[in-house]
Amino acid sequence: MGGIEFRLKSFSKGESMRVIATLTAAVVGLSLFSFTSQMGAQAASAAKSTSGMEKVAQTPPMGWNSWNYFAERVDDKGVRAAADEIVSTGMKDAGYVYVNIDDTWEGERDASGVLHTNSKFPDMKALADYVHSKGLKIGIYSGPGPKTCAGYAGSLGHEEQDAQLYASWGIDYLKYDLCSFIPEVMEKQAPNDKAAQMKLMVAAYDKMANALKATGRPIVFSLCQYGWDAVWEWAPAMGGNLWRTTGDIDPKWDRIYSIVSQQEGLEKYAGPGHWNDPDMLEVGNGKLTLAENRTHFSLWAILAAPLLAGNDLPNMKPEIKSILLNKDVIAVNQDRLGKQGSRVYSDGEVDVWARHLAGGALAVAVVNAGSDRYSTHPFHLNLAKLGLHGTQSAKDLWTGKKIELTEGMPVELASHDVLMVRVEGKQ
Ligand code: GLA
């Protein structure tokens, strides 16, 4: 299928460019693990921008997106069902708000260039009204090229018109995906000139950012261009609320772990209103074990990543629901300081991540990326490296129990499992 072929082609490029970008960010971004932050003031600032428009994404967006499970099978009925489940499962109360339709909703343009939905979505305005009637918000998908990644109509040459259309439907969130803009515009207009190609790309995102602003409607702007050209450096200034940092996620541990490793050094670019996006959640998808699902969710919390569930909500298993509904882990993700965590140290295949939270609290995630570590050879936690001095009382966020952290304490972890704790300040 053309769409898939295209996707693979662009991702292999994305990944190689991403390596360069990571190295650059690592050199520029090497900074000491610090307890101070000025982000609190920003997070606490008024919810309106200077233009008077409501500020969006002051904490990482939470919701659901159709792609990771349904892909091309998404339709009006499925989106309504997802909205219903978000309410009935308690996900809405836990903070999941956005119901996002990904690729494959698009139909044809009419003689005036107005884009219509395809037969899977008979009435987008009615669907948006339905989602809004549940107290939720609705998101949609497009791209700057002539076609989307799955080969449906993109926004090239119709940016203002599309933005106005979304606003008229009541859309609250746009994911804007690069795909065909690469061969159809960047490579055609600037053959063999990578720098010029990147300028075209940035301009295309800027164009849609402005078109969205011109609607006067607060719409979350999600950039999806796989992290090309250090997107974290330029997206916030144009009003990007989140930006993908890598190629696509898969419901497989190795892919999730590789994406996590690519987030290092990017923490300084995140903050209220503008977040690194390591891609949508795969919790409950594929053959991920419960430990892997837990670790995935824990790390997305530490990374201040958008929490966009990507599973089949009407058929969600109870153990998956309890992961997605873990209020303590969500609280780490949504912490009002808005400070993304980082990997503090690794010891063999065990990684120790931490995130500073409002009120001087600290979230710590100890991840066993390798094989099991039982009492014969457990991992020993180094509190000093985390800036913690002496015994700490903490909460284990997966058992809900109190836990005492002592210097050098042994931590037994099954393969791909996590110990996630929260230490209240003042350590
Ligand atoms: C790209 C994106 C995915 C998804 C698909 C849809 O692969 O990275 O997240 O939106 O396109 O075609």
Side-chain angles (χ1 to χ4, degrees):
M1 208 184 107
I4 289 168
E5 253 171 56
F6 181 80
R7 206 155 30 236
L8 292 174
K9 187 172 156 237
S10 50
F11 284 162
S12 55
K13 281 190 210 155
E15 289 301 319
S16 59
M17 297 197 62
R18 180 69 186 87
V19 172
I20 300 167
T22 306
L23 289 174
T24 316
V27 174
V28 178
L30 263 182
S31 61
L32 288 173
F33 194 67
S34 140
F35 277 79
T36 56
S37 169
Q38 282 129 27
M39 290 297 197
Q42 258 189 53
S45 73
K48 303 257 180 199
S49 70
T50 43
S51 66
M53 221 197 315
E54 184 200 327
K55 277 186 171 184
V56 292
Q58 292 303 289
T59 57
M62 289 180 69
W64 173 86
N65 173 293
S66 58
W67 187 257
N68 281 355
Y69 182 80
F70 291 98
E72 287 95 343
R73 287 168 290 134
V74 63
D75 61 8
D76 177 285
K77 199 165 155 256
V79 174
R80 284 172 195 251
D84 293 347
E85 291 297 320
I86 288 174
V87 175
S88 66
T89 53
M91 286 175 74
K92 178 187 165 195
D93 292 339
Y96 294 86
V97 169
Y98 291 97
V99 180
N100 291 351
I101 304 163
D102 208 278
D103 205 351
T104 80
W105 64 267
E106 308 88 342
E108 305 294 326
R109 292 191 187 276
D110 64 23
S112 334
V114 176
L115 183 61
H116 293 266
T117 52
N118 61 39
S119 59
K120 297 192 295 167
F121 290 90
D123 187 340
M124 196 61 92
K125 172 81 172 73
L127 178 57
D129 288 347
Y130 182 78
V131 170
H132 288 149
S133 76
K134 303 250 149 188
L136 300 170
K137 293 179 188 283
I138 186 163
I140 213 162
Y141 168 101
S142 188
K147 297 274 180 224
T148 64
C149 293
Y152 289 71
S155 291
L156 184 66
H158 298 275
E159 294 81 0
E160 285 85 8
Q161 204 171 17
D162 285 358
Q164 293 295 336
L165 179 69
Y166 307 148
S168 75
W169 285 337
I171 297 295
D172 306 295
Y173 185 118
L174 173 68
K175 172 174 166 185
Y176 207 48
D177 198 347
L178 190 60
C179 264
S180 74
F181 192 81
I182 304 164
E184 295 301 329
V185 179
M186 291 159 67
E187 290 172 358
K188 276 194 184 146
Q189 286 188 20
N192 308 318
D193 186 345
K194 285 283 174 204
Q197 290 181 11
M198 295 305 150
K199 282 196 179 130
L200 289 166
M201 174 183 68
V202 175
Y205 278 91
D206 199 38
K207 191 165 199 178
M208 184 47 94
N210 288 331
L212 292 176
K213 281 177 210 148
T215 67
R217 184 177 174 83
I219 298 177
V220 172
F221 188 34
S222 158
L223 285 78
C224 179
Q225 42 78 283
Y226 338 115
W228 282 26
D229 207 27
V231 58
W232 37 87
E233 289 184 357
W234 48 267
M238 71 169 59
N241 300 113
L242 60 154
W243 49 85
R244 280 271 297 278
T245 54
T246 67
D248 286 18
I249 196 167
D250 264 333
K252 293 196 185 99
W253 170 261
D254 286 353
R255 181 63 191 145
I256 291 170
Y257 189 69
S258 145
I259 287 179
V260 165
S261 307
Q262 293 176 67
Q263 307 311 305
E264 290 195 72
L266 300 188
E267 57 274 6
K268 67 177 179 176
Y269 298 100
H274 50 99
W275 310 100
N276 290 302
D277 175 10
D279 210 350
M280 305 168 298
L281 292 167
E282 292 282 15
V283 173
N285 285 343
K287 294 197 169 95
L288 292 174
T289 65
L290 267 189
E292 289 167 348
N293 279 308
R294 248 193 317 268
T295 304
H296 173 25
F297 198 65
S298 304
L299 286 170
W300 262 234
I302 293 279
L303 290 168
L307 293 183
L308 295 170
N311 57 325
D312 178 10
L313 296 181
N315 294 300
M316 172 162 59
K317 295 201 174 103
E319 58 272 26
I320 295 302
K321 180 171 142 188
S322 65
I323 291 176
L324 290 174
L325 281 174
N326 184 317
K327 295 217 160 91
D328 289 326
V329 177
I330 293 173
V332 171
N333 176 269
Q334 294 288 299
D335 185 78
R336 65 183 166 80
L337 206 53
K339 197 167 157 50
Q340 180 175 328
S342 60
R343 178 148 72 182
V344 182
Y345 73 99
S346 296
D347 180 339
E349 292 175 307
V350 179
D351 301 324
V352 182
W353 290 77
R355 176 171 174 186
H356 292 284
L357 306 171
L362 187 72
V364 178
V366 184
V367 174
N368 182 4
S371 50
D372 305 54
R373 301 284 299 255
Y374 292 128
S375 51
T376 42
H377 294 92
F379 168 77
H380 292 275
L381 185 60
N382 187 327
L383 292 183
K385 281 192 178 163
L386 289 164
L388 298 170
H389 304 292
T391 301
Q392 309 283 327
S393 84
K395 182 172 183 185
D396 180 325
L397 303 189
W398 287 110
T399 64
K401 295 196 177 127
K402 264 189 79 172
I403 176 174
E404 190 125 291
L405 305 181
T406 55
E407 187 57 77
M409 71 185 277
V411 178
E412 290 187 29
L413 283 170
S415 178
H416 303 172
D417 211 343
V418 64
L419 168 72
M420 186 168 182
V421 300
R422 179 184 179 116
V423 187
E424 294 304 336
K426 177 78 215 158
Q427 297 96 25

PDB file of all heavy atoms in Angstrom, residues 318-339:
ATOM      1  N   PRO A 318      -9.327  -5.100  32.847  1.00  0.00           N
ATOM      2  CA  PRO A 318      -9.266  -4.358  34.112  1.00  0.00           C
ATOM      3  C   PRO A 318      -7.847  -3.973  34.534  1.00  0.00           C
ATOM      4  O   PRO A 318      -7.612  -2.881  35.057  1.00  0.00           O
ATOM      5  CB  PRO A 318      -9.869  -5.327  35.141  1.00  0.00           C
ATOM      6  CG  PRO A 318     -10.529  -6.409  34.369  1.00  0.00           C
ATOM      7  CD  PRO A 318     -10.028  -6.383  32.958  1.00  0.00           C
ATOM      8  N   GLU A 319      -6.885  -4.867  34.259  1.00  0.00           N
ATOM      9  CA  GLU A 319      -5.514  -4.551  34.702  1.00  0.00           C
ATOM     10  C   GLU A 319      -4.903  -3.417  33.864  1.00  0.00           C
ATOM     11  O   GLU A 319      -4.050  -2.670  34.340  1.00  0.00           O
ATOM     12  CB  GLU A 319      -4.619  -5.802  34.700  1.00  0.00           C
ATOM     13  CG  GLU A 319      -4.481  -6.535  33.375  1.00  0.00           C
ATOM     14  CD  GLU A 319      -5.571  -7.598  33.129  1.00  0.00           C
ATOM     15  OE1 GLU A 319      -6.684  -7.461  33.686  1.00  0.00           O
ATOM     16  OE2 GLU A 319      -5.311  -8.547  32.371  1.00  0.00           O
ATOM     17  N   ILE A 320      -5.374  -3.271  32.627  1.00  0.00           N
ATOM     18  CA  ILE A 320      -4.904  -2.160  31.783  1.00  0.00           C
ATOM     19  C   ILE A 320      -5.573  -0.867  32.247  1.00  0.00           C
ATOM     20  O   ILE A 320      -4.944   0.181  32.368  1.00  0.00           O
ATOM     21  CB  ILE A 320      -5.228  -2.446  30.292  1.00  0.00           C
ATOM     22  CG1 ILE A 320      -4.444  -3.668  29.805  1.00  0.00           C
ATOM     23  CG2 ILE A 320      -4.948  -1.225  29.418  1.00  0.00           C
ATOM     24  CD1 ILE A 320      -2.940  -3.570  29.945  1.00  0.00           C
ATOM     25  N   LYS A 321      -6.854  -0.986  32.565  1.00  0.00           N
ATOM     26  CA  LYS A 321      -7.588   0.183  33.063  1.00  0.00           C
ATOM     27  C   LYS A 321      -6.920   0.699  34.342  1.00  0.00           C
ATOM     28  O   LYS A 321      -6.747   1.906  34.530  1.00  0.00           O
ATOM     29  CB  LYS A 321      -9.029  -0.257  33.341  1.00  0.00           C
ATOM     30  CG  LYS A 321      -9.923   0.827  33.849  1.00  0.00           C
ATOM     31  CD  LYS A 321     -11.357   0.339  33.879  1.00  0.00           C
ATOM     32  CE  LYS A 321     -12.063   0.884  35.095  1.00  0.00           C
ATOM     33  NZ  LYS A 321     -13.382   0.301  35.283  1.00  0.00           N
ATOM     34  N   SER A 322      -6.506  -0.215  35.213  1.00  0.00           N
ATOM     35  CA  SER A 322      -5.927   0.289  36.464  1.00  0.00           C
ATOM     36  C   SER A 322      -4.564   0.925  36.229  1.00  0.00           C
ATOM     37  O   SER A 322      -4.145   1.793  36.990  1.00  0.00           O
ATOM     38  CB  SER A 322      -5.916  -0.777  37.560  1.00  0.00           C
ATOM     39  OG  SER A 322      -5.073  -1.811  37.181  1.00  0.00           O
ATOM     40  N   ILE A 323      -3.867   0.557  35.166  1.00  0.00           N
ATOM     41  CA  ILE A 323      -2.613   1.264  34.842  1.00  0.00           C
ATOM     42  C   ILE A 323      -2.948   2.677  34.353  1.00  0.00           C
ATOM     43  O   ILE A 323      -2.438   3.669  34.871  1.00  0.00           O
ATOM     44  CB  ILE A 323      -1.793   0.490  33.778  1.00  0.00           C
ATOM     45  CG1 ILE A 323      -1.259  -0.808  34.397  1.00  0.00           C
ATOM     46  CG2 ILE A 323      -0.647   1.358  33.243  1.00  0.00           C
ATOM     47  CD1 ILE A 323      -0.521  -1.716  33.428  1.00  0.00           C
ATOM     48  N   LEU A 324      -3.848   2.761  33.374  1.00  0.00           N
ATOM     49  CA  LEU A 324      -4.191   4.079  32.806  1.00  0.00           C
ATOM     50  C   LEU A 324      -4.855   4.998  33.833  1.00  0.00           C
ATOM     51  O   LEU A 324      -4.867   6.211  33.668  1.00  0.00           O
ATOM     52  CB  LEU A 324      -5.110   3.908  31.593  1.00  0.00           C
ATOM     53  CG  LEU A 324      -4.471   3.300  30.343  1.00  0.00           C
ATOM     54  CD1 LEU A 324      -5.529   3.044  29.278  1.00  0.00           C
ATOM     55  CD2 LEU A 324      -3.374   4.218  29.787  1.00  0.00           C
ATOM     56  N   LEU A 325      -5.423   4.385  34.876  1.00  0.00           N
ATOM     57  CA  LEU A 325      -6.132   5.196  35.878  1.00  0.00           C
ATOM     58  C   LEU A 325      -5.334   5.399  37.157  1.00  0.00           C
ATOM     59  O   LEU A 325      -5.887   5.868  38.146  1.00  0.00           O
ATOM     60  CB  LEU A 325      -7.468   4.537  36.218  1.00  0.00           C
ATOM     61  CG  LEU A 325      -8.569   4.766  35.191  1.00  0.00           C
ATOM     62  CD1 LEU A 325      -9.812   3.963  35.531  1.00  0.00           C
ATOM     63  CD2 LEU A 325      -8.933   6.237  35.119  1.00  0.00           C
ATOM     64  N   ASN A 326      -4.056   5.055  37.145  1.00  0.00           N
ATOM     65  CA  ASN A 326      -3.271   5.230  38.374  1.00  0.00           C
ATOM     66  C   ASN A 326      -3.102   6.734  38.656  1.00  0.00           C
ATOM     67  O   ASN A 326      -2.311   7.428  38.020  1.00  0.00           O
ATOM     68  CB  ASN A 326      -1.910   4.551  38.235  1.00  0.00           C
ATOM     69  CG  ASN A 326      -1.117   4.624  39.529  1.00  0.00           C
ATOM     70  OD1 ASN A 326      -1.087   5.658  40.189  1.00  0.00           O
ATOM     71  ND2 ASN A 326      -0.501   3.514  39.898  1.00  0.00           N
ATOM     72  N   LYS A 327      -3.861   7.206  39.617  1.00  0.00           N
ATOM     73  CA  LYS A 327      -3.913   8.656  39.866  1.00  0.00           C
ATOM     74  C   LYS A 327      -2.570   9.220  40.332  1.00  0.00           C
ATOM     75  O   LYS A 327      -2.240  10.372  40.037  1.00  0.00           O
ATOM     76  CB  LYS A 327      -4.998   8.951  40.907  1.00  0.00           C
ATOM     77  CG  LYS A 327      -6.395   8.608  40.388  1.00  0.00           C
ATOM     78  CD  LYS A 327      -7.434   9.611  40.886  1.00  0.00           C
ATOM     79  CE  LYS A 327      -8.673   9.571  40.016  1.00  0.00           C
ATOM     80  NZ  LYS A 327      -9.720   8.664  40.437  1.00  0.00           N
ATOM     81  N   ASP A 328      -1.804   8.412  41.078  1.00  0.00           N
ATOM     82  CA  ASP A 328      -0.512   8.906  41.572  1.00  0.00           C
ATOM     83  C   ASP A 328       0.478   9.101  40.424  1.00  0.00           C
ATOM     84  O   ASP A 328       1.246  10.061  40.409  1.00  0.00           O
ATOM     85  CB  ASP A 328       0.085   7.917  42.587  1.00  0.00           C
ATOM     86  CG  ASP A 328      -0.695   7.920  43.898  1.00  0.00           C
ATOM     87  OD1 ASP A 328      -1.193   8.992  44.288  1.00  0.00           O
ATOM     88  OD2 ASP A 328      -0.811   6.838  44.516  1.00  0.00           O
ATOM     89  N   VAL A 329       0.446   8.174  39.475  1.00  0.00           N
ATOM     90  CA  VAL A 329       1.370   8.296  38.336  1.00  0.00           C
ATOM     91  C   VAL A 329       0.911   9.446  37.429  1.00  0.00           C
ATOM     92  O   VAL A 329       1.724  10.235  36.945  1.00  0.00           O
ATOM     93  CB  VAL A 329       1.478   6.948  37.575  1.00  0.00           C
ATOM     94  CG1 VAL A 329       2.375   7.084  36.360  1.00  0.00           C
ATOM     95  CG2 VAL A 329       2.009   5.860  38.508  1.00  0.00           C
ATOM     96  N   ILE A 330      -0.397   9.555  37.252  1.00  0.00           N
ATOM     97  CA  ILE A 330      -0.931  10.678  36.461  1.00  0.00           C
ATOM     98  C   ILE A 330      -0.544  12.003  37.114  1.00  0.00           C
ATOM     99  O   ILE A 330      -0.180  12.960  36.430  1.00  0.00           O
ATOM    100  CB  ILE A 330      -2.465  10.552  36.309  1.00  0.00           C
ATOM    101  CG1 ILE A 330      -2.805   9.337  35.437  1.00  0.00           C
ATOM    102  CG2 ILE A 330      -3.072  11.828  35.712  1.00  0.00           C
ATOM    103  CD1 ILE A 330      -4.289   9.019  35.346  1.00  0.00           C
ATOM    104  N   ALA A 331      -0.586  12.046  38.444  1.00  0.00           N
ATOM    105  CA  ALA A 331      -0.244  13.298  39.144  1.00  0.00           C
ATOM    106  C   ALA A 331       1.208  13.693  38.870  1.00  0.00           C
ATOM    107  O   ALA A 331       1.530  14.878  38.767  1.00  0.00           O
ATOM    108  CB  ALA A 331      -0.486  13.150  40.640  1.00  0.00           C
ATOM    109  N   VAL A 332       2.075  12.704  38.731  1.00  0.00           N
ATOM    110  CA  VAL A 332       3.470  13.005  38.378  1.00  0.00           C
ATOM    111  C   VAL A 332       3.496  13.609  36.975  1.00  0.00           C
ATOM    112  O   VAL A 332       4.110  14.640  36.723  1.00  0.00           O
ATOM    113  CB  VAL A 332       4.350  11.731  38.446  1.00  0.00           C
ATOM    114  CG1 VAL A 332       5.733  11.994  37.859  1.00  0.00           C
ATOM    115  CG2 VAL A 332       4.452  11.232  39.890  1.00  0.00           C
ATOM    116  N   ASN A 333       2.781  12.978  36.040  1.00  0.00           N
ATOM    117  CA  ASN A 333       2.747  13.469  34.659  1.00  0.00           C
ATOM    118  C   ASN A 333       2.213  14.901  34.587  1.00  0.00           C
ATOM    119  O   ASN A 333       2.712  15.739  33.853  1.00  0.00           O
ATOM    120  CB  ASN A 333       1.883  12.544  33.800  1.00  0.00           C
ATOM    121  CG  ASN A 333       1.734  13.060  32.387  1.00  0.00           C
ATOM    122  OD1 ASN A 333       0.811  13.796  32.064  1.00  0.00           O
ATOM    123  ND2 ASN A 333       2.676  12.705  31.526  1.00  0.00           N
ATOM    124  N   GLN A 334       1.177  15.160  35.367  1.00  0.00           N
ATOM    125  CA  GLN A 334       0.468  16.444  35.279  1.00  0.00           C
ATOM    126  C   GLN A 334       1.000  17.474  36.275  1.00  0.00           C
ATOM    127  O   GLN A 334       0.373  18.513  36.471  1.00  0.00           O
ATOM    128  CB  GLN A 334      -1.030  16.216  35.543  1.00  0.00           C
ATOM    129  CG  GLN A 334      -1.703  15.376  34.462  1.00  0.00           C
ATOM    130  CD  GLN A 334      -1.854  16.141  33.156  1.00  0.00           C
ATOM    131  OE1 GLN A 334      -2.517  17.158  33.094  1.00  0.00           O
ATOM    132  NE2 GLN A 334      -1.212  15.657  32.108  1.00  0.00           N
ATOM    133  N   ASP A 335       2.101  17.188  36.915  1.00  0.00           N
ATOM    134  CA  ASP A 335       2.606  18.088  37.948  1.00  0.00           C
ATOM    135  C   ASP A 335       2.710  19.531  37.432  1.00  0.00           C
ATOM    136  O   ASP A 335       3.218  19.765  36.339  1.00  0.00           O
ATOM    137  CB  ASP A 335       3.978  17.603  38.421  1.00  0.00           C
ATOM    138  CG  ASP A 335       4.475  18.440  39.567  1.00  0.00           C
ATOM    139  OD1 ASP A 335       4.011  18.235  40.703  1.00  0.00           O
ATOM    140  OD2 ASP A 335       5.305  19.341  39.307  1.00  0.00           O
ATOM    141  N   ARG A 336       2.230  20.465  38.245  1.00  0.00           N
ATOM    142  CA  ARG A 336       2.084  21.838  37.738  1.00  0.00           C
ATOM    143  C   ARG A 336       3.414  22.558  37.496  1.00  0.00           C
ATOM    144  O   ARG A 336       3.468  23.558  36.783  1.00  0.00           O
ATOM    145  CB  ARG A 336       1.194  22.661  38.677  1.00  0.00           C
ATOM    146  CG  ARG A 336       1.751  22.890  40.029  1.00  0.00           C
ATOM    147  CD  ARG A 336       0.763  23.665  40.914  1.00  0.00           C
ATOM    148  NE  ARG A 336       1.172  23.587  42.295  1.00  0.00           N
ATOM    149  CZ  ARG A 336       2.119  24.342  42.814  1.00  0.00           C
ATOM    150  NH1 ARG A 336       2.724  25.243  42.068  1.00  0.00           N
ATOM    151  NH2 ARG A 336       2.472  24.197  44.075  1.00  0.00           N
ATOM    152  N   LEU A 337       4.489  22.036  38.061  1.00  0.00           N
ATOM    153  CA  LEU A 337       5.794  22.632  37.776  1.00  0.00           C
ATOM    154  C   LEU A 337       6.156  22.466  36.292  1.00  0.00           C
ATOM    155  O   LEU A 337       6.880  23.273  35.722  1.00  0.00           O
ATOM    156  CB  LEU A 337       6.836  21.919  38.655  1.00  0.00           C
ATOM    157  CG  LEU A 337       8.108  22.634  39.039  1.00  0.00           C
ATOM    158  CD1 LEU A 337       7.824  23.983  39.663  1.00  0.00           C
ATOM    159  CD2 LEU A 337       8.914  21.756  40.001  1.00  0.00           C
ATOM    160  N   GLY A 338       5.680  21.408  35.695  1.00  0.00           N
ATOM    161  CA  GLY A 338       5.905  21.199  34.259  1.00  0.00           C
ATOM    162  C   GLY A 338       7.341  20.933  33.897  1.00  0.00           C
ATOM    163  O   GLY A 338       7.800  21.262  32.799  1.00  0.00           O
ATOM    164  N   LYS A 339       8.082  20.338  34.816  1.00  0.00           N
ATOM    165  CA  LYS A 339       9.503  20.111  34.567  1.00  0.00           C
ATOM    166  C   LYS A 339       9.719  18.648  34.182  1.00  0.00           C
ATOM    167  O   LYS A 339       9.470  17.751  34.983  1.00  0.00           O
ATOM    168  CB  LYS A 339      10.257  20.440  35.860  1.00  0.00           C
ATOM    169  CG  LYS A 339      11.725  20.651  35.705  1.00  0.00           C
ATOM    170  CD  LYS A 339      12.279  21.277  36.984  1.00  0.00           C
ATOM    171  CE  LYS A 339      13.762  21.034  37.161  1.00  0.00           C
ATOM    172  NZ  LYS A 339      14.592  21.350  36.009  1.00  0.00           N
TER     173      LYS A 339
END
